[in-house]
Amino acid sequence: MSKNTKTYVLLTLVLVIWGIIGYKVFSAFSPDPEPVTIMAPVDFNPKDRVQKDTFSLLADYRDPFLGTWNTARKKKEQPKARKQSVQFPAIAYTGLVSGTQTKDHIYFVTIGGNQYLMKKGNQQDGVTLISGTSNNIKVAYKGVVKTITLAHETP
C-alpha cells in the first residue's frame, strides 16, 4: 500500500468515529418526544407484618485488656412495696460527746422516755442510729429513715 492510501483509510476511519460521537451528542440534546407509556392500575396488598423476635446481650464478663470486671451492671428492679405508715416512737436528740483521742461520737438519744447512749450502727428499741452530726441525727425504724434535729432544752 502506498503512503496516500494509508492516509485516506485512516482519515475515513477518524471521520466515521467523530461522526458517531457527534451524532450521540446531537441526539442527546435534540427535543425528541418520548413515547407516553400507559400503565395499568396496580392493586396494592401489603404483606402482613411478622413480629420480630428481640433479644439483648448481657456483657457480664471480664475486660480482656484491663482485666477488670464491668462495674456498670444494671441492678434488678424490685417491685416497689407500698409504704405503710410507720408510727415512730417519741425520739429526741439531746446532744453528743466526742473524745479527743477517737473520732467516734456518742449521741444522747431519748426513745420513748428512756435515754440511751448510742454510736453509729447501734440499735435500741428497734431504732437504729445511721449517722449524725452536732445538729441532727438520722435514725431508721422498720425500714423508714427519719432525720431528728437537736432538741434545745431550756433550763
Side-chain angles (χ1 to χ4, degrees):
M1 253 200 221
S2 71
K3 188 175 180 181
N4 287 337
T5 311
K6 289 182 186 176
T7 304
Y8 291 129
V9 171
L10 289 175
L11 182 63
T12 308
L13 186 61
V14 168
L15 288 175
V16 169
I17 292 173
W18 278 105
I20 292 171
I21 292 172
Y23 175 74
K24 294 214 181 224
V25 169
F26 180 73
S27 66
F29 290 117
S30 67
D32 289 337
E34 293 187 20
V36 177
T37 56
I38 300 173
M39 298 191 60
V42 178
D43 291 335
F44 179 70
N45 295 325
K47 294 182 180 178
D48 293 333
R49 289 189 171 201
V50 177
Q51 183 68 23
K52 291 184 179 181
D53 187 20
T54 59
F55 63 92
S56 64
L57 296 177
L58 176 63
D60 191 18
Y61 52 85
R62 186 177 57 83
D63 185 351
F65 301 107
L66 299 177
T68 59
W69 286 91
N70 184 7
T71 58
R73 294 181 183 164
K74 293 183 180 177
K75 294 182 180 179
K76 294 181 181 178
E77 292 186 25
Q78 297 177 354
K80 294 182 180 179
R82 293 185 185 180
K83 290 186 178 180
Q84 297 176 356
S85 61
V86 176
Q87 189 67 26
F88 267 83
I91 301 173
Y93 170 46
T94 55
L96 77 112
V97 175
S98 61
T100 58
Q101 301 283 330
T102 63
K103 294 182 180 179
D104 290 337
H105 300 295
I106 298 174
Y107 300 93
F108 294 105
V109 181
T110 304
I111 303 171
N114 298 326
Q115 189 173 26
Y116 298 102
L117 299 173
M118 298 177 73
K119 290 184 180 181
K120 292 180 185 177
N122 285 2
Q123 183 174 2
Q124 294 290 336
D125 295 339
V127 177
T128 306
L129 180 64
I130 297 173
S131 65
T133 63
S134 61
N135 296 329
N136 57 28
I137 59 171
K138 283 189 180 181
V139 294
Y141 181 71
K142 293 185 180 179
V144 179
V145 178
K146 190 174 181 181
T147 302
I148 311 288
T149 57
L150 179 63
H152 296 287
E153 296 181 7
T154 56

